[in-house]
Amino acid sequence: MDDDTRTAHWERRTEMPLALTSVLFFTSYAIRVLGHGLPRPWPSACVAVMLGAWAVFAVDYAVRWRLSGQGPHFVRKHWLDTVVLLLPLLRPLRVVKVYEAVQRRRGRPRLTLHARVITYAGLAVSLLGFAGALAVYQQERTAPGATIHTFGDAVWWACATLATVGYGDVAPVTPVGRLVAVAMMACGLALLGAVTGSFSSWLLQVFAGEGTEKPPGGNEKPPGG
Amino acid sequence: MDDDTRTAHWERRTEMPLALTSVLFFTSYAIRVLGHGLPRPWPSACVAVMLGAWAVFAVDYAVRWRLSGQGPHFVRKHWLDTVVLLLPLLRPLRVVKVYEAVQRRRGRPRLTLHARVITYAGLAVSLLGFAGALAVYQQERTAPGATIHTFGDAVWWACATLATVGYGDVAPVTPVGRLVAVAMMACGLALLGAVTGSFSSWLLQVFAGEGTEKPPGGNEKPPGG
Amino acid sequence: MDDDTRTAHWERRTEMPLALTSVLFFTSYAIRVLGHGLPRPWPSACVAVMLGAWAVFAVDYAVRWRLSGQGPHFVRKHWLDTVVLLLPLLRPLRVVKVYEAVQRRRGRPRLTLHARVITYAGLAVSLLGFAGALAVYQQERTAPGATIHTFGDAVWWACATLATVGYGDVAPVTPVGRLVAVAMMACGLALLGAVTGSFSSWLLQVFAGEGTEKPPGGNEKPPGG
Amino acid sequence: MDDDTRTAHWERRTEMPLALTSVLFFTSYAIRVLGHGLPRPWPSACVAVMLGAWAVFAVDYAVRWRLSGQGPHFVRKHWLDTVVLLLPLLRPLRVVKVYEAVQRRRGRPRLTLHARVITYAGLAVSLLGFAGALAVYQQERTAPGATIHTFGDAVWWACATLATVGYGDVAPVTPVGRLVAVAMMACGLALLGAVTGSFSSWLLQVFAGEGTEKPPGGNEKPPGG
């Protein structure tokens, strides 16, 4: 069994456990940020779970590094994985692997190209938006002069930002909050561009009559759109 | 006559009545929201008409479910119809069926691809924007601290949102109003992307000189643009 | 000489006079709006020139109607011309005809497709933005509670709107001003989408190395970009 | 050796020195703008370095003009170079030449088309945004009624502008600051459109399965994205 086969094998076996760990990580983070009125043991427990989840991510990264046999080049070649390891809030970017695994396991036929892009990028953008709203809320909640007071405000701000509408009625004022916002703009807009572009080209295709071999339900919208 | 033929038959016969019912529904909703100074019987009458229209939609959905013979799968396969049944304000998304029916009845030749996309998506986006402005106005009218005071403000806000300009001089402050706004961003931006994309590619085509077989009037813009 | 030939002949002969009339119209409008401190005869003179220019447009429309021999169908078939006649501020949309005429007269080789789209749409969007800024300034200048106080504010607002940035530090508050703004969003965004799309695809083409037959100057940007 | 060969020779030899001069120019400008608390000799030294760098740019322009042997046509044909000479803050637009030179020197294989566009346009947009933030900060820092008080505010404003989000919580108020902002919108949005468009089409390509010949590291994102 050569290195590539081993890596593929490892990735297939760790897909679902890693996805569950990610869910655990985000749930703990959400409880940590939103449950600021919870009694003493809760916050510490959440931090512990987050650290544990992060340790799992680190072990996965180390094993894949070892299996690849690439030495120091691995860090640069898998830069996306490296970034995601250092900033676990960007994990939603890896949602595509989980999604493909789920589809494979359930024996479903693959969706059409446009539907896949819309589903993947839409999912990633929603999760990133949620993570960004959490992170900004944590920073802004107690900042002086902040306009984001509740988590609802943070979600509203995240939606307005990802749609590039940007009302400005609520906006981050702390340096860290603004850094998160810029990262969200960069990741989110590119992914949202993919969603919009796919949707538009799918619409054009349907209208061009090339879409006569519609999915059995006769839907006129791609799943997940 | 098999199931598919029956469904097609039913859809062709109900197209126009359903469209008229939709118009009735929206008119009643508009009167209900805008006519808050009208005397006693009016608001109740509007609600009654809306409930009646909704009952018609539900019957249509039930008949098509029955005719399809698909059992519980129908709900998931026709998820767009299901969503539109539960949230009748999204009905404009079905405008394409009405539009095609009208064109067929008047024996008109089909428009070119770009013109069809621009007409359909432009119409859907206008109606969705109007419905969204109504819904937001209803929520915000009496909310404390609201910036949307008149229906004109709501329409202005809807236009600025759909164009992703988002001045922020007026913006919803209530949770329900913001939920409507997010739905409007999601639906509207995708459709507007289709309009803009079609218009751009049509413009490119005209300039490339492939547009020499222009429509008889020699217009340099697609109808409805 | 049949109708089509006559129309083409008329259009070729009136191209430049009409363009000059349009320039006159816009200049008068600009003086009328911006020169609100000018002594008595000036405003009336500007209005007179504008009415005269409009009369020229109406005569041109009438002659083309007559030449077409289409009767009442002409209004609907040439709907863009009809709209431009009723709202002369939209005249910049016809800039493409003037531009082509100038190019033909000077015997220049035609630009590449992308350069043409960028030049035309960029020119139209600039002129429309200028006209929109003038119209909004006229409405807002004396309105109570307005944020647009100087013509500089109006131009700044127009740029922020056409780029869909929409800071909202200045925004129209009068109904007519907002109507102009919505029209500007609709026209401008579509044209700007054409510019951006053309620029992007041109950039892709250059990078793909298909752009080796560059224009003589070896520019790496299309003229007018 | 004919003119074209000489020009190419000159450009290859001056690439790196010019790039270093540009870096020097921007560093001096940044120190000049940000270090407004530095003791006396510093600001003057920065201005001197900037003037020196500009002289180098002018000499390069003059030599290329002479080598081209085109006489007065050169100015119009190389209009981008002319503009960049007059407004040295737009120098990042020439980053592509430096980038290609670096790649060639290090003997690296050329990146794929999408990766090249994303890298070039992303780099250019980042540098332009930085230059714009510096210029706006210089103008607004001491203006009455300004909302941009720190350089952090200026960077935050630049990011929100380039992403077309435009919250409007901070925005330039001086005429020169607004002029810089409009230039930034025009350049930045077109380049950002190229980045987003490339990213989207790259994503579509990956999903279409044509991306099976992935780069060795198996990354699912283009370098520099």
Side-chain angles (χ1 to χ4, degrees):
Chain A
M1 207 156 65
D2 64 359
D3 287 349
D4 275 9
T5 324
R6 268 189 195 153
T7 301
H9 189 69
W10 172 263
E11 287 191 345
R12 208 161 40 240
R13 286 207 31 204
T14 55
E15 259 161 4
M16 293 312 292
L18 275 179
L20 291 179
T21 314
S22 299
V23 170
L24 207 65
F25 179 87
F26 273 98
T27 313
S28 307
Y29 187 55
I31 295 176
R32 176 81 182 76
V33 172
L34 299 179
H36 43 81
L38 286 177
R40 202 68 201 90
W42 275 93
S44 319
C46 286
V47 172
V49 171
M50 281 164 67
L51 284 176
W54 191 83
V56 171
F57 299 149
V59 166
D60 169 62
Y61 184 81
V63 169
R64 279 191 293 139
W65 190 346
R66 191 67 178 275
L67 286 178
S68 75
Q70 286 173 336
H73 285 303
F74 182 86
V75 175
R76 202 165 49 74
K77 278 190 183 161
H78 291 80
W79 64 267
L80 182 60
D81 290 344
T82 312
V83 167
V84 166
L85 180 69
L86 297 178
L87 296 169
L89 283 182
L90 291 178
R91 282 236 135 215
L93 286 175
R94 297 201 59 196
V95 80
V96 68
K97 296 207 172 164
V98 178
Y99 177 75
E100 300 252 305
V102 169
Q103 291 292 91
R104 206 165 44 229
R105 228 154 264 213
R106 291 170 66 179
R108 291 258 198 88
R110 282 159 66 98
L111 295 168
T112 61
L113 175 60
H114 293 311
R116 283 222 304 290
V117 173
I118 293 175
T119 311
Y120 161 52
L123 217 60
V125 107
S126 310
L127 290 174
L128 272 181
F130 182 71
L134 277 176
V136 164
Y137 176 57
Q138 192 183 23
Q139 295 300 322
E140 300 283 317
R141 190 159 49 88
T142 55
T147 49
I148 297 176
H149 300 298
T150 66
F151 184 61
D153 286 340
V155 170
W156 167 243
W157 165 81
C159 291
T161 299
L162 287 176
T164 76
V165 171
Y167 295 113
D169 51 348
V170 289
V173 295
T174 58
V176 180
R178 288 181 171 180
L179 212 66
V180 173
V182 172
M184 229 168 92
M185 287 177 204
C187 295
L189 297 189
L191 285 170
L192 208 74
V195 176
T196 313
S198 295
F199 179 80
S200 300
S201 68
W202 170 84
L203 206 67
L204 274 167
Q205 199 178 321
V206 165
F207 272 74
E210 296 166 27
T212 38
E213 52 281 278
K214 280 188 285 192
N219 269 326
E220 293 214 318
K221 274 214 156 188
Chain B
M1 209 155 63
D2 64 358
D3 286 349
D4 275 9
T5 323
R6 270 187 194 154
T7 301
H9 189 70
W10 172 264
E11 287 192 343
R12 207 160 41 240
R13 286 207 31 205
T14 54
E15 259 162 3
M16 293 314 290
L18 276 179
L20 291 178
T21 313
S22 299
V23 170
L24 207 65
F25 180 87
F26 273 97
T27 312
S28 306
Y29 187 55
I31 294 175
R32 175 81 183 75
V33 172
L34 299 180
H36 44 80
L38 286 176
R40 202 68 201 92
W42 275 93
S44 318
C46 286
V47 171
V49 171
M50 281 164 67
L51 283 176
W54 192 83
V56 172
F57 299 148
V59 166
D60 168 62
Y61 185 82
V63 170
R64 278 191 291 138
W65 190 346
R66 192 64 179 276
L67 286 177
S68 75
Q70 286 172 336
H73 286 303
F74 182 86
V75 175
R76 201 166 49 73
K77 278 189 183 162
H78 290 79
W79 64 267
L80 181 61
D81 290 342
T82 313
V83 168
V84 166
L85 180 69
L86 296 178
L87 296 169
L89 284 182
L90 292 178
R91 284 240 135 213
L93 287 175
R94 297 202 57 196
V95 80
V96 68
K97 297 205 171 165
V98 179
Y99 178 75
E100 300 253 304
V102 170
Q103 291 292 91
R104 204 162 48 227
R105 227 155 265 213
R106 292 170 66 180
R108 290 259 198 85
R110 282 159 64 98
L111 294 169
T112 62
L113 175 59
H114 293 312
R116 282 222 306 288
V117 173
I118 292 176
T119 311
Y120 160 52
L123 217 61
V125 107
S126 309
L127 290 174
L128 273 180
F130 182 70
L134 276 176
V136 164
Y137 176 57
Q138 191 183 24
Q139 294 300 321
E140 300 282 318
R141 190 159 49 87
T142 54
T147 49
I148 296 176
H149 300 297
T150 65
F151 185 60
D153 287 340
V155 170
W156 167 244
W157 165 82
C159 292
T161 298
L162 287 175
T164 77
V165 171
Y167 295 114
D169 51 348
V170 289
V173 295
T174 58
V176 180
R178 288 181 171 180
L179 212 65
V180 173
V182 171
M184 230 169 91
M185 287 178 204
C187 295
L189 297 189
L191 285 170
L192 207 74
V195 175
T196 313
S198 294
F199 178 80
S200 300
S201 68
W202 171 84
L203 206 67
L204 273 168
Q205 199 178 320
V206 164
F207 272 75
E210 297 165 27
T212 38
E213 54 280 279
K214 280 186 284 193
N219 269 327
E220 293 215 318
K221 274 212 153 189
Chain C
M1 208 154 66
D2 64 358
D3 287 349
D4 275 9
T5 322
R6 269 188 194 154
T7 301
H9 189 69
W10 171 264
E11 286 192 344
R12 208 161 39 240
R13 285 205 34 203
T14 55
E15 259 163 4
M16 293 312 292
L18 275 178
L20 291 178
T21 313
S22 300
V23 169
L24 208 65
F25 180 87
F26 274 99
T27 312
S28 306
Y29 187 56
I31 294 176
R32 175 82 182 75
V33 172
L34 299 179
H36 44 80
L38 286 177
R40 202 70 201 89
W42 275 93
S44 317
C46 286
V47 171
V49 172
M50 281 164 68
L51 284 176
W54 192 81
V56 172
F57 299 150
V59 166
D60 168 63
Y61 184 82
V63 170
R64 279 191 293 138
W65 190 346
R66 192 67 177 275
L67 286 177
S68 74
Q70 287 173 336
H73 287 302
F74 181 86
V75 175
R76 202 165 50 72
K77 278 189 183 163
H78 290 81
W79 64 267
L80 182 60
D81 290 343
T82 312
V83 168
V84 166
L85 180 69
L86 297 178
L87 296 169
L89 284 181
L90 292 178
R91 283 240 135 212
L93 287 176
R94 297 201 59 195
V95 81
V96 67
K97 297 205 172 164
V98 179
Y99 177 76
E100 300 252 305
V102 170
Q103 290 292 91
R104 205 163 46 229
R105 228 154 265 213
R106 292 171 66 179
R108 291 260 198 86
R110 282 160 64 99
L111 294 168
T112 62
L113 175 60
H114 293 312
R116 283 222 305 289
V117 172
I118 292 175
T119 311
Y120 161 52
L123 216 60
V125 107
S126 309
L127 291 174
L128 272 180
F130 182 71
L134 276 177
V136 164
Y137 176 58
Q138 191 183 23
Q139 294 300 322
E140 300 282 318
R141 189 158 50 87
T142 55
T147 49
I148 296 176
H149 300 296
T150 66
F151 185 60
D153 287 341
V155 170
W156 167 244
W157 165 81
C159 291
T161 299
L162 286 175
T164 76
V165 171
Y167 295 113
D169 51 347
V170 289
V173 295
T174 58
V176 179
R178 288 181 171 180
L179 212 66
V180 173
V182 171
M184 229 169 91
M185 288 177 203
C187 295
L189 297 189
L191 285 171
L192 208 74
V195 176
T196 313
S198 295
F199 178 80
S200 300
S201 69
W202 170 84
L203 205 69
L204 273 168
Q205 200 178 319
V206 165
F207 271 76
E210 298 166 25
T212 39
E213 53 280 279
K214 279 187 283 191
N219 268 326
E220 294 214 318
K221 275 212 154 189
Chain D
M1 208 156 64
D2 63 358
D3 287 349
D4 275 10
T5 324
R6 269 189 195 153
T7 301
H9 189 69
W10 171 263
E11 288 193 344
R12 209 163 37 242
R13 286 207 32 203
T14 55
E15 259 162 4
M16 291 314 290
L18 276 179
L20 291 178
T21 312
S22 299
V23 170
L24 208 65
F25 180 87
F26 273 98
T27 314
S28 307
Y29 187 55
I31 294 175
R32 175 83 182 75
V33 172
L34 300 180
H36 44 80
L38 286 176
R40 203 71 200 87
W42 275 94
S44 319
C46 286
V47 171
V49 171
M50 280 164 68
L51 284 176
W54 192 82
V56 172
F57 299 149
V59 167
D60 168 62
Y61 184 81
V63 170
R64 278 191 293 139
W65 190 346
R66 190 67 176 275
L67 286 177
S68 74
Q70 286 172 335
H73 286 302
F74 181 86
V75 174
R76 202 166 48 74
K77 279 189 182 161
H78 290 80
W79 64 268
L80 182 60
D81 290 343
T82 313
V83 168
V84 166
L85 180 69
L86 297 178
L87 296 169
L89 284 182
L90 292 178
R91 282 237 136 216
L93 287 176
R94 297 202 58 199
V95 81
V96 67
K97 297 205 172 164
V98 179
Y99 177 75
E100 300 253 305
V102 170
Q103 291 291 91
R104 204 163 47 228
R105 228 154 264 213
R106 292 171 66 179
R108 290 259 197 87
R110 282 159 65 97
L111 293 169
T112 62
L113 175 61
H114 293 312
R116 283 222 306 288
V117 173
I118 293 176
T119 312
Y120 160 52
L123 217 60
V125 107
S126 310
L127 291 174
L128 272 181
F130 182 70
L134 276 177
V136 164
Y137 176 58
Q138 192 183 22
Q139 295 301 321
E140 300 282 319
R141 191 158 50 85
T142 55
T147 49
I148 296 176
H149 301 297
T150 66
F151 184 61
D153 287 340
V155 170
W156 168 242
W157 165 81
C159 291
T161 299
L162 287 175
T164 76
V165 171
Y167 294 114
D169 50 349
V170 290
V173 295
T174 58
V176 180
R178 287 180 172 181
L179 212 66
V180 174
V182 171
M184 229 169 92
M185 287 177 204
C187 296
L189 296 189
L191 285 171
L192 207 74
V195 176
T196 313
S198 295
F199 179 80
S200 300
S201 69
W202 171 85
L203 205 68
L204 274 168
Q205 200 178 321
V206 165
F207 271 75
E210 297 165 27
T212 39
E213 52 281 279
K214 280 187 285 192
N219 269 326
E220 294 215 317
K221 273 212 156 187

